[in-house]
Amino acid sequence: MGIKGFVEGGIASVIAGCSTHPLDLIKVQMQLQGETQVHNLNSTFSNNAPRTLPQPSRLGPIATGVKLVKQEGVAALFSGVSATVLRQTLYSTTRMGLYDIFKTKWSDTNSGGNLPLTRKIAAGLIAGGIGAAVGNPADLAMVRMQADGRLPPTQRRNYKSVVDAIRTMAKDEGVTSLWRGSSLTVIRAMLVTASQLASYDQFKEMILEKGIMLDGLGTHVTTSFGAGLVAAVASNPVDVIKTRVMNMKVEPGAAPPYSGALDCALKTIHVEGPMALYKGFIPTICRQGPFTVVLFVTLEQVRKLLKDF
């Protein structure tokens, strides 16, 4: 275990992140739909105007992807992929390695052999929170790079790479800005890691114990897809708010569009309704499903390859 768990998790995470990056980009684009109306709330309320705004237009995942390709080309689907690589290297490597360590350590004190579900969840919560804190700058850069195409040409940030994005944010907005939305990132990561890793292990143990399937590719695909669905349901509301807080543009001398996560959530619900917190849910499932499948299938194969090391 130890370092080996970090290496295995890191390799699997980078491969999964890169292969599903276009789906993640479409998800971010959908989560930001209607944000213009939300930003108009302050001026609407301050002018004592009627507190109703036009309903924002909504595009589905396919229409969002097609529109993006038409406007910016196929390469736009991989906008911000360098940030994804860095994010997975920092965030996922940390969470996967720590989860492996916690699971192994706590299993040693469990006479039943398999780790109880509650301990799996606790391991996921702790590992996810630490991983998110480590990877927040890359996560922030990824969101902004993915969302840049939605802005008018004059307002785009035009980061050249993830390194350029982090350097520019630190210079223009201060080093602390690299952890903007970190509370949301940590909460989301805790939910994703606890639901994704714990449910994968739990589903796999149940299938093997009941003899439904053998320990092979079929079991890995089935359990990982189920884990991806659980993770998507648990994390989508926090993910929407995180995306909007991270993407907000703060002008010098002006009040930020959102004063915090709660303010963002309340404004989003007021303008777009409660279901706006599940905006981008279809692409989230479409992304979480394949991502989790690729992640765990690759992880199982990497473990076999590195078994003797």
Side-chain angles (χ1 to χ4, degrees), residues 31 33-35 38 41 58 240-241 244 258 261-277 279:
Q31 288 175 339
Q33 288 177 13
E35 199 177 26
V38 175
L41 269 181
R58 292 180 174 85
V240 171
I241 302 305
R244 294 191 171 195
Y258 310 118
L262 180 60
D263 181 53
C264 179
L266 293 175
K267 286 180 177 177
T268 299
I269 293 172
H270 180 86
V271 174
E272 304 171 66
M275 290 309 297
L277 297 180
K279 186 170 287 187

Side-chain angles (χ1 to χ4, degrees), residues 136 181-189 238 241-243 245-246 260-261:
N136 198 82
S182 59
S183 60
L184 291 166
T185 305
V186 168
I187 292 172
R188 177 190 179 277
V238 177
I241 302 305
K242 176 185 77 74
T243 296
V245 170
M246 284 185 163

Side-chain angles (χ1 to χ4, degrees), residues 24-40:
D24 192 48
L25 185 144
I26 290 173
K27 177 202 71 175
V28 168
Q29 297 265 339
M30 290 184 67
Q31 288 175 339
L32 293 172
Q33 288 177 13
E35 199 177 26
T36 302
Q37 283 83 354
V38 175
H39 288 177
N40 287 334

Side-chain angles (χ1 to χ4, degrees), residues 7 14 26 29 31 46 83-84 89 147-148 150 170 179 207 245 286 289:
V7 173
V14 170
I26 290 173
Q29 297 265 339
Q31 288 175 339
S46 62
T84 290
T89 301
D148 214 32
R150 296 185 69 258
W179 276 269
I207 288 175
V245 170
C286 292

Side-chain angles (χ1 to χ4, degrees), residues 98-119:
L98 288 176
Y99 178 79
D100 218 17
I101 289 175
F102 291 144
K103 190 173 69 169
T104 302
K105 182 177 179 180
W106 293 346
S107 291
D108 292 340
T109 62
N110 178 34
S111 59
N114 290 330
L115 194 68
L117 179 59
T118 52
R119 291 190 182 182

Side-chain angles (χ1 to χ4, degrees), residues 13-290:
S13 297
V14 170
I15 292 174
C18 290
S19 62
T20 59
H21 181 81
L23 296 173
D24 192 48
L25 185 144
I26 290 173
K27 177 202 71 175
V28 168
Q29 297 265 339
M30 290 184 67
Q31 288 175 339
L32 293 172
Q33 288 177 13
E35 199 177 26
T36 302
Q37 283 83 354
V38 175
H39 288 177
N40 287 334
L41 269 181
N42 288 337
S43 59
T44 299
F45 288 177
S46 62
N47 294 331
N48 294 320
R51 300 192 177 193
T52 57
L53 293 171
Q55 286 300 307
S57 59
R58 292 180 174 85
L59 296 177
I62 295 177
T64 300
V66 170
K67 180 182 178 182
L68 185 65
V69 171
K70 283 183 177 179
Q71 291 180 341
E72 302 178 56
V74 177
L77 293 174
F78 286 90
S79 177
V81 71
S82 62
T84 290
V85 173
L86 180 59
R87 176 179 181 269
Q88 296 299 338
T89 301
L90 296 175
Y91 158 62
S92 284
T93 298
T94 302
R95 73 179 182 121
M96 298 287 283
L98 288 176
Y99 178 79
D100 218 17
I101 289 175
F102 291 144
K103 190 173 69 169
T104 302
K105 182 177 179 180
W106 293 346
S107 291
D108 292 340
T109 62
N110 178 34
S111 59
N114 290 330
L115 194 68
L117 179 59
T118 52
R119 291 190 182 182
K120 292 189 185 86
I121 293 174
L125 290 172
I126 297 171
I130 296 173
V134 171
N136 198 82
D139 200 5
L140 176 61
M142 182 185 71
V143 167
R144 290 192 173 191
M145 291 173 75
Q146 288 178 335
D148 214 32
R150 296 185 69 258
L151 299 172
T154 56
Q155 297 181 22
R156 291 180 186 176
R157 299 178 174 101
N158 294 318
Y159 298 134
K160 298 180 179 66
S161 66
V162 63
V163 175
D164 179 55
I166 292 175
R167 182 172 56 241
T168 302
M169 285 187 288
K171 178 182 177 182
D172 296 345
E173 304 172 50
V175 175
T176 56
S177 71
L178 297 177
W179 276 269
R180 177 176 294 155
S182 59
S183 60
L184 291 166
T185 305
V186 168
I187 292 172
R188 177 190 179 277
M190 291 173 72
L191 291 173
V192 168
T193 304
S195 56
Q196 187 185 66
L197 302 188
S199 60
Y200 176 79
D201 284 343
Q202 194 70 19
F203 289 154
K204 183 179 175 183
E205 288 170 10
M206 289 171 58
I207 288 175
L208 296 179
E209 286 175 359
K210 294 181 181 298
I212 299 173
M213 301 173 72
L214 298 177
D215 188 4
L217 182 61
T219 297
H220 301 159
V221 171
T222 301
T223 53
S224 58
F225 190 82
L229 178 60
V230 173
V233 172
S235 66
N236 202 89
V238 177
D239 198 31
V240 171
I241 302 305
K242 176 185 77 74
T243 296
R244 294 191 171 195
V245 170
M246 284 185 163
N247 186 59
M248 70 176 176
K249 201 174 184 72
V250 182
E251 301 291 346
Y258 310 118
S259 61
L262 180 60
D263 181 53
C264 179
L266 293 175
K267 286 180 177 177
T268 299
I269 293 172
H270 180 86
V271 174
E272 304 171 66
M275 290 309 297
L277 297 180
Y278 274 91
K279 186 170 287 187
F281 183 64
I282 298 302
T284 294
I285 292 180
C286 292
R287 186 259 181 188
Q288 276 285 8

